Amino acid sequence: MDTNNWTSEQPIVSLKDVHKSFGTLEVLKGISFDVMKGEVICIIGPSGSGKSTLIRCINALNKINSGSIMVRGLEVNDPDLNKLELRKNVGMVFQQYNLFPHKTAIENIMMAPMLVLKESKDEVLSKARSLIRKVRLEDKENTYPGELSGGQQQRVAIARSLAMNPDVMLFDEVTAALDPETVKEVLVTIKELASEGMTCILVTHEMGFARELADHIYFTDRGIIVEHGPPATFFEEAKDPRTKEFLSQIL
Amino acid sequence: MNLVISFFTMLIGTAAGVLLGLGQISLILPVRKSSWFFTQLFRNSPWLVLLFIVMLTFPFEIEFGETIIQIPDWMKAVFGLSLPIMANISEVVRGAVQSVPTGQWEAAESLAYSRSQTIWKIILPQCFKRMIPPWMNWYAILTMATPLVSLLGVQEIVTLSRQAMEAENNHPELLIPFFGFALVIFFAYCYPIARLTLKLEERYSVKFI
């Protein structure tokens, strides 16, 4: 799968001056940052600041207008981009889970590796079983998404993404639609992933979680990165008034 | 004969309608536009006019080298009725596909499914249930429209009722029992379909998360 000359010393995800507009509304006004392999990055900011758009641009669900996004040496902003190649490398988990309602939990996990990666059924089944154990839902293998709680669905969704063996995981406000008591189980799963060295980019409102887990925090507002830094500095010594105001509102 | 016509019409109409419906959501502009055009054309034309056109323009026999195959009128009728059914099923398919939340497309896309894999494995299976009630509805409408073909000389229940009338010297007092009988037969066939459709609609309306 390594068709390019990316090496692990280089950023696995690298954004340079990314601009994105929806019609006349400019949502991203020049975003740049690098993510190294194994890092956990949290993007925070008020709603409407372009966080979700930003993360969706990384796996080309949204197309950017100008700038560059490199993922593992693959230029995302390239009209000839091999989208399948990109998406094999980048897993994404959504706020609304988006499980396939006509398939059971285990089928949800197994479908993509079988259809897309053409792996054999036995191989995929054992992988899916170990993933479903990993998210602690081994007793829900044959349950349909409609019968699972939000937190359980979200963990299945995480397992489904992991089944593709991605190098980078994108989490788009994955706990925002959950009941408070199920938020924790999802966060624990993400924490475990991070501790295993998975590169994670999260858009989140869970400040405590971001503080504990992130290697680096980016605060975005109105389409630009206002401030960034490691959690300790970011939360203790925020300089920009906008960051201060935002933090004072939610902490 | 009415049932045979309705059966084959539905078969052809559905197959063609699914293709045309998928054509309507194609990413290729000419395919999408022409699918839309044919859907609207046949959906908004009187069935009888379509039937006349097909009956009068289609050959009554086809030559395959030496052999000549006769095309019976009822087959032409099937073809003629298939056109509006195709167009309406096309709309049913398009509507059902568009009713699937965009999140499903995005999830499939982010898992590196190709577009055709997404459509066949993710989207259409979810549409299937939703398409059954309108599909059955169209089948009932079609069955009730099959007597139209009697106007074109195809033997079916209304033609037979008329012949029976003539055999009885057209006594006006027989009009109601004879045609009433045809009516009852249609009702007995179509009403259960309508009931079943309603039931299925109720069952599937709440099924989706």
Side-chain angles (χ1 to χ4, degrees), chain A:
Chain A
M1 219 175 276
D2 287 301
T3 48
N4 55 64
N5 47 11
W6 177 81
T7 61
S8 57
E9 291 89 61
Q10 293 167 337
I12 191 160
V13 176
S14 175
L15 284 76
K16 284 197 180 64
D17 198 29
V18 170
H19 288 261
K20 166 73 187 170
S21 306
F22 291 112
T24 53
L25 181 72
E26 193 172 29
V27 191
L28 302 178
K29 304 170 184 168
I31 300 270
S32 306
F33 65 79
D34 288 340
V35 183
M36 300 302 291
K37 189 166 172 50
E39 272 190 322
V40 176
I41 298 298
C42 285
I43 301 166
I44 62 174
S47 47
S49 63
K51 308 179 300 278
S52 286
T53 307
L54 175 62
I55 203 169
R56 290 161 59 92
C57 287
I58 297 176
N59 78 342
L61 276 182
N62 289 351
K63 202 178 166 318
I64 62 174
N65 297 91
S66 68
S68 152
I69 300 178
M70 299 290 282
V71 176
R72 228 174 172 277
L74 213 60
E75 172 58 67
V76 177
N77 189 21
D78 173 356
D80 300 324
L81 165 73
N82 182 347
K83 284 191 179 175
L84 297 189
E85 193 61 40
L86 170 73
R87 285 167 182 157
K88 284 177 201 168
N89 290 331
V90 182
M92 177 141 185
V93 185
F94 300 86
Q95 182 178 345
Q96 296 298 338
Y97 340 124
N98 297 344
L99 291 179
F100 305 133
H102 59 302
K103 297 282 177 186
T104 62
I106 193 112
E107 285 170 343
N108 262 280
I109 300 173
M110 289 173 65
M111 272 175 90
M114 284 172 64
L115 281 171
V116 179
L117 303 179
K118 315 275 183 219
E119 290 172 6
S120 76
K121 193 176 175 186
D122 296 341
E123 195 182 337
V124 175
L125 185 63
S126 68
K127 178 160 74 176
R129 287 237 161 90
S130 76
L131 283 169
I132 213 159
R133 251 196 318 278
K134 190 189 184 105
V135 297
R136 295 191 194 81
L137 288 170
E138 52 271 35
D139 52 331
K140 302 285 184 194
E141 246 181 42
N142 298 314
T143 313
Y144 284 90
E147 295 152 2
L148 294 171
S149 75
Q152 291 170 332
Q153 288 192 55
Q154 195 59 291
R155 284 183 281 155
V156 173
I158 293 173
R160 179 177 70 172
S161 288
L162 291 175
M164 296 291 281
N165 301 321
D167 296 304
V168 181
M169 287 286 286
L170 307 175
F171 296 89
D172 186 7
E173 299 197 35
V174 292
T175 56
L178 297 179
D179 295 331
E181 65 268 27
T182 57
V183 167
K184 204 173 159 224
E185 63 195 34
V186 173
L187 294 183
V188 166
T189 303
I190 299 175
K191 207 153 117 184
E192 282 171 4
L193 265 184
S195 68
E196 288 163 16
M198 175 64 77
T199 311
C200 297
I201 302 176
L202 299 103
V203 169
T204 186
H205 290 292
E206 298 288 329
M207 292 305 142
F209 181 71
R211 185 177 205 154
E212 179 190 356
L213 201 68
D215 294 303
H216 214 87
I217 291 181
Y218 290 88
F219 174 72
T220 61
D221 189 22
R222 296 183 205 131
I224 54 162
I225 292 175
V226 177
E227 194 159 358
H228 66 92
T233 1
F234 180 85
F235 283 107
E236 307 305 330
E237 299 156 32
K239 290 176 203 79
D240 193 280
R242 272 185 282 178
T243 321
K244 279 185 194 161
E245 195 198 332
F246 178 75
L247 290 176
S248 72
Q249 277 167 2
I250 58 172
L251 286 183

Side-chain angles (χ1 to χ4, degrees), chain B residues 22-60:
Chain B
L22 291 178
Q24 284 203 80
I25 53 160
S26 166
L27 290 180
I28 308 159
L29 190 71
V31 174
R32 191 166 66 236
K33 286 283 173 208
S34 54
S35 301
W36 175 84
F37 175 76
F38 283 115
T39 301
Q40 296 308 322
L41 179 69
F42 292 127
R43 209 164 82 97
N44 298 300
S45 319
W47 295 25
L48 190 57
V49 176
L50 291 174
L51 270 175
F52 268 118
I53 292 172
V54 169
M55 291 308 238
L56 299 176
T57 56
F58 271 50
F60 57 89

Side-chain angles (χ1 to χ4, degrees), chain B residues 72-167:
Chain B
D73 276 350
W74 71 266
M75 253 189 225
K76 287 203 237 171
V78 163
F79 187 77
L81 287 174
S82 294
L83 293 174
I85 290 298
M86 168 188 78
N88 283 295
I89 297 296
S90 165
E91 281 294 88
V92 168
V93 170
R94 186 189 57 83
V97 167
Q98 286 178 348
S99 73
V100 174
T102 51
Q104 294 287 314
W105 289 90
E106 289 177 351
E109 215 181 327
S110 71
L111 286 164
Y113 285 71
S114 67
R115 192 174 161 87
S116 69
Q117 283 170 336
T118 307
I119 289 176
W120 290 104
K121 303 283 179 180
I122 308 295
I123 305 298
L124 283 184
Q126 294 183 46
C127 295
F128 185 65
K129 281 181 186 171
R130 289 172 218 208
M131 287 189 300
I132 293 173
W135 184 84
M136 285 172 50
N137 201 13
W138 279 107
Y139 180 66
I141 292 173
L142 166 68
T143 309
M144 290 184 280
T146 48
L148 282 177
V149 304
S150 72
L151 294 171
L152 305 164
V154 180
Q155 284 253 344
E156 47 76 59
I157 189 163
V158 172
T159 337
L160 294 176
S161 306
R162 211 166 50 211
Q163 282 169 359
M165 281 287 291
E166 276 158 15

Side-chain angles (χ1 to χ4, degrees), chain B residues 175-195:
Chain B
L175 201 70
I176 289 180
F178 275 35
F179 283 97
F181 176 68
L183 212 64
V184 167
I185 289 181
F186 272 106
F187 184 80
Y189 187 66
C190 292
Y191 183 69
I193 297 180
R195 295 295 308 179

